[in-house]
Amino acid sequence: MSENLKPQDATSLDPTTLDPAVDNPAQERPAQDSHGSVSPAAESHAQSAPAAENLTQNSPAARVQLDGAAASEASAAETARAAEKARARRAAVPRAAVPAAERGVSKIKMKEADEPMRPASRMPALPSDEEIAAALAKTVSEDGAGGADNVGAAELSGEDSAAQRPSAEELAKRQAAREKAANTKPVLTRVFQVLIAVFYPIVLLVLAIRLVTTSTFLWIEYHRPGFPADSFGFSTEDRVTYGSYTVDYLLNFAPARYLGDLVNDIGNPLFLTREVGHMADVKAVIVMAFLSALALALIMVVGMIYLSRRSFGGNRRALFAGSILTLVLIIGLGVVAVTGWERFFAEFHKIFFADGTWTFYTDDTLIRLFPSQFWMDSGIFIGAFVLVVSSLTMAFTWPTKDRREAVAAASRPGRRAA
């Protein structure tokens, strides 16, 4: 055996030149799990260590292999010690100090480390440069066409609006028509205002007459101080009783015999035939006056309802005009009556009754029940009542500054006021 074949010691040999596995220690390193424990392959490699010791006693080649195995075992032992230290450090850190999210991530990573990574089967297809350029060109062309259409539509709408827009002259005519319509007062509104103003004194006068034709007024008149007594024997009670029959006859629907059948204490008729006939004429005039006044009052109510809905302040103006008219009439009649009562009384009867039907003797029942003083007191009461009511009406409907301003505000366009 030559000197070249002389076995060398472990220190003179390079393990990397003898064993290819030593060149890549990662291939010979025992497999460990995620917790740092040595895999079964490492254990089997450790079990083969006694056999390697036996080989060192037999041949130089075996000694070389033994040296490589020793180096591998040392590397595995060092790796195990590092894993053990890492395990100790993880055990020293409290579990609560590690966030739940990190613990979940670590578990996922550990599980993924156990399984081999699987390559993607197919990558998603991306559009080519030509396809991207074509899509951009299509978008630009569509935007340009839409903008042109919008511009054309705007031009057409502008032309249509310009064609439909009225001229300045036409606008002025329309404005004048609107102002005229706003200022025009409805005919029916004016009609109702005039009717209310004319009917007001008539209704008020008839109302005063109705107050006179009551048993209450008779009782007050017969009992007032200074009323003349009957010189032919009627007492105050007789006058109240017989006078009440007369007033009731004027207001009921009884025939003329309602008065013709009345008799006095000795059985003689209380009223003569001429007296009953005159009272029938008075009843006809009274009933006609009351019915006419009722109809006029209904028309006034309808007119007031209409004016309250269609004309701001229309009722006030109508009643104000009616109160002025009533005051003028009642003051004029009062002056005539005061200056010549007998003539005024005669002329009044001539209007409603025929001559010779309303004159009686002083001893007739009608003259004894209703002397001249009674008619004078009745006229004074009627005049005073009409004067007071019409004056109050005028005061409450007087066109004050605030009322005029309210009417002017209501006369503006948007609200019609008569």
Side-chain angles (χ1 to χ4, degrees), residues 7-10 13 52 55-69:
Q8 302 177 357
D9 55 2
L13 293 177
L55 290 175
T56 56
Q57 301 175 359
N58 296 328
S59 61
R63 186 181 294 276
V64 171
Q65 292 179 359
L66 180 60
D67 293 338

Short mmCIF file of all heavy atoms in Angstrom, two decimals, residues 7-10 13 52 55-69:
data_model
loop_
_atom_site.label_atom_id
_atom_site.label_comp_id
_atom_site.label_asym_id
_atom_site.label_seq_id
_atom_site.Cartn_x
_atom_site.Cartn_y
_atom_site.Cartn_z
N PRO A 7 -4.37 6.32 5.45
CA PRO A 7 -5.54 7.02 6.01
C PRO A 7 -5.11 8.27 6.76
O PRO A 7 -4.07 8.29 7.38
CB PRO A 7 -6.18 5.99 6.92
CG PRO A 7 -5.11 5.01 7.23
CD PRO A 7 -4.14 4.98 6.08
N GLN A 8 -5.92 9.29 6.67
CA GLN A 8 -5.71 10.57 7.33
C GLN A 8 -6.64 10.72 8.50
O GLN A 8 -7.70 10.11 8.56
CB GLN A 8 -5.91 11.73 6.34
CG GLN A 8 -4.99 11.65 5.14
CD GLN A 8 -5.26 12.77 4.13
OE1 GLN A 8 -6.17 13.53 4.34
NE2 GLN A 8 -4.44 12.81 3.08
N ASP A 9 -6.27 11.60 9.41
CA ASP A 9 -7.11 11.79 10.60
C ASP A 9 -8.27 12.71 10.29
O ASP A 9 -8.40 13.27 9.21
CB ASP A 9 -6.26 12.35 11.76
CG ASP A 9 -5.55 13.62 11.33
OD1 ASP A 9 -5.75 14.05 10.16
OD2 ASP A 9 -4.84 14.21 12.17
N ALA A 10 -9.13 12.82 11.24
CA ALA A 10 -10.38 13.58 11.04
C ALA A 10 -10.12 15.03 10.86
O ALA A 10 -10.87 15.71 10.19
CB ALA A 10 -11.35 13.35 12.22
N LEU A 13 -9.10 15.99 7.08
CA LEU A 13 -10.09 15.72 6.02
C LEU A 13 -11.14 16.81 6.00
O LEU A 13 -11.59 17.28 7.04
CB LEU A 13 -10.74 14.37 6.23
CG LEU A 13 -9.80 13.14 6.06
CD1 LEU A 13 -10.56 11.87 6.37
CD2 LEU A 13 -9.18 13.10 4.69
N ALA A 52 -22.34 3.84 13.21
CA ALA A 52 -21.24 4.62 12.63
C ALA A 52 -19.97 4.47 13.45
O ALA A 52 -18.86 4.43 12.92
CB ALA A 52 -21.65 6.09 12.55
N LEU A 55 -18.27 1.39 12.46
CA LEU A 55 -17.61 1.47 11.15
C LEU A 55 -16.25 2.14 11.27
O LEU A 55 -15.33 1.84 10.50
CB LEU A 55 -18.48 2.24 10.17
CG LEU A 55 -19.76 1.51 9.71
CD1 LEU A 55 -20.59 2.45 8.83
CD2 LEU A 55 -19.42 0.25 8.97
N THR A 56 -16.07 3.01 12.23
CA THR A 56 -14.79 3.70 12.38
C THR A 56 -13.66 2.76 12.77
O THR A 56 -12.49 3.04 12.55
CB THR A 56 -14.91 4.81 13.42
OG1 THR A 56 -15.37 4.25 14.63
CG2 THR A 56 -15.88 5.88 12.94
N GLN A 57 -14.00 1.62 13.38
CA GLN A 57 -13.01 0.67 13.81
C GLN A 57 -12.56 -0.25 12.67
O GLN A 57 -11.55 -0.93 12.81
CB GLN A 57 -13.53 -0.16 14.98
CG GLN A 57 -13.90 0.71 16.19
CD GLN A 57 -14.53 -0.12 17.29
OE1 GLN A 57 -14.72 -1.37 17.12
NE2 GLN A 57 -14.82 0.50 18.43
N ASN A 58 -13.29 -0.23 11.56
CA ASN A 58 -13.02 -1.22 10.50
C ASN A 58 -12.20 -0.63 9.36
O ASN A 58 -11.29 -1.30 8.85
CB ASN A 58 -14.31 -1.79 9.95
CG ASN A 58 -15.09 -2.58 11.03
OD1 ASN A 58 -14.46 -3.19 11.92
ND2 ASN A 58 -16.40 -2.56 10.92
N SER A 59 -12.53 0.64 8.91
CA SER A 59 -11.85 1.14 7.71
C SER A 59 -11.68 2.64 7.79
O SER A 59 -12.45 3.31 8.49
CB SER A 59 -12.64 0.78 6.45
OG SER A 59 -13.92 1.39 6.49
N PRO A 60 -10.72 3.20 6.99
CA PRO A 60 -10.59 4.65 6.95
C PRO A 60 -11.78 5.33 6.34
O PRO A 60 -12.18 6.42 6.75
CB PRO A 60 -9.34 4.85 6.07
CG PRO A 60 -8.58 3.58 6.19
CD PRO A 60 -9.56 2.49 6.33
N ALA A 61 -12.39 4.72 5.35
CA ALA A 61 -13.59 5.31 4.73
C ALA A 61 -14.70 5.44 5.74
O ALA A 61 -15.44 6.42 5.78
CB ALA A 61 -14.04 4.50 3.53
N ALA A 62 -14.80 4.42 6.58
CA ALA A 62 -15.83 4.47 7.61
C ALA A 62 -15.54 5.58 8.58
O ALA A 62 -16.44 6.23 9.11
CB ALA A 62 -15.91 3.12 8.34
N ARG A 63 -14.21 5.83 8.84
CA ARG A 63 -13.88 6.92 9.74
C ARG A 63 -14.29 8.25 9.13
O ARG A 63 -14.78 9.14 9.84
CB ARG A 63 -12.36 6.90 9.99
CG ARG A 63 -11.91 7.93 11.04
CD ARG A 63 -10.41 7.85 11.18
NE ARG A 63 -10.04 6.57 11.73
CZ ARG A 63 -10.03 6.28 13.04
NH1 ARG A 63 -10.36 7.21 13.89
NH2 ARG A 63 -9.68 5.07 13.48
N VAL A 64 -14.12 8.37 7.81
CA VAL A 64 -14.53 9.62 7.15
C VAL A 64 -16.03 9.83 7.28
O VAL A 64 -16.54 10.89 7.56
CB VAL A 64 -14.08 9.63 5.69
CG1 VAL A 64 -14.67 10.81 4.95
CG2 VAL A 64 -12.56 9.66 5.61
N GLN A 65 -16.78 8.76 7.05
CA GLN A 65 -18.24 8.84 7.19
C GLN A 65 -18.64 9.17 8.62
O GLN A 65 -19.59 9.87 8.88
CB GLN A 65 -18.88 7.52 6.75
CG GLN A 65 -18.74 7.26 5.26
CD GLN A 65 -19.37 5.94 4.86
OE1 GLN A 65 -19.89 5.21 5.72
NE2 GLN A 65 -19.28 5.61 3.57
N LEU A 66 -17.89 8.63 9.55
CA LEU A 66 -18.21 8.90 10.95
C LEU A 66 -18.01 10.37 11.27
O LEU A 66 -18.82 10.98 11.98
CB LEU A 66 -17.32 8.04 11.84
CG LEU A 66 -17.54 8.20 13.36
CD1 LEU A 66 -18.96 7.83 13.73
CD2 LEU A 66 -16.54 7.31 14.11
N ASP A 67 -16.92 10.93 10.70
CA ASP A 67 -16.72 12.35 10.96
C ASP A 67 -17.87 13.19 10.37
O ASP A 67 -18.34 14.16 10.97
CB ASP A 67 -15.38 12.80 10.34
CG ASP A 67 -14.20 12.14 11.07
OD1 ASP A 67 -14.43 11.75 12.23
OD2 ASP A 67 -13.13 12.08 10.47
N GLY A 68 -18.37 12.85 9.15
CA GLY A 68 -19.49 13.61 8.56
C GLY A 68 -20.76 13.46 9.37
O GLY A 68 -21.52 14.41 9.57
N ALA A 69 -20.96 12.26 9.88
CA ALA A 69 -22.18 12.05 10.69
C ALA A 69 -22.10 12.84 11.97
O ALA A 69 -23.09 13.37 12.47
CB ALA A 69 -22.35 10.56 10.97
#
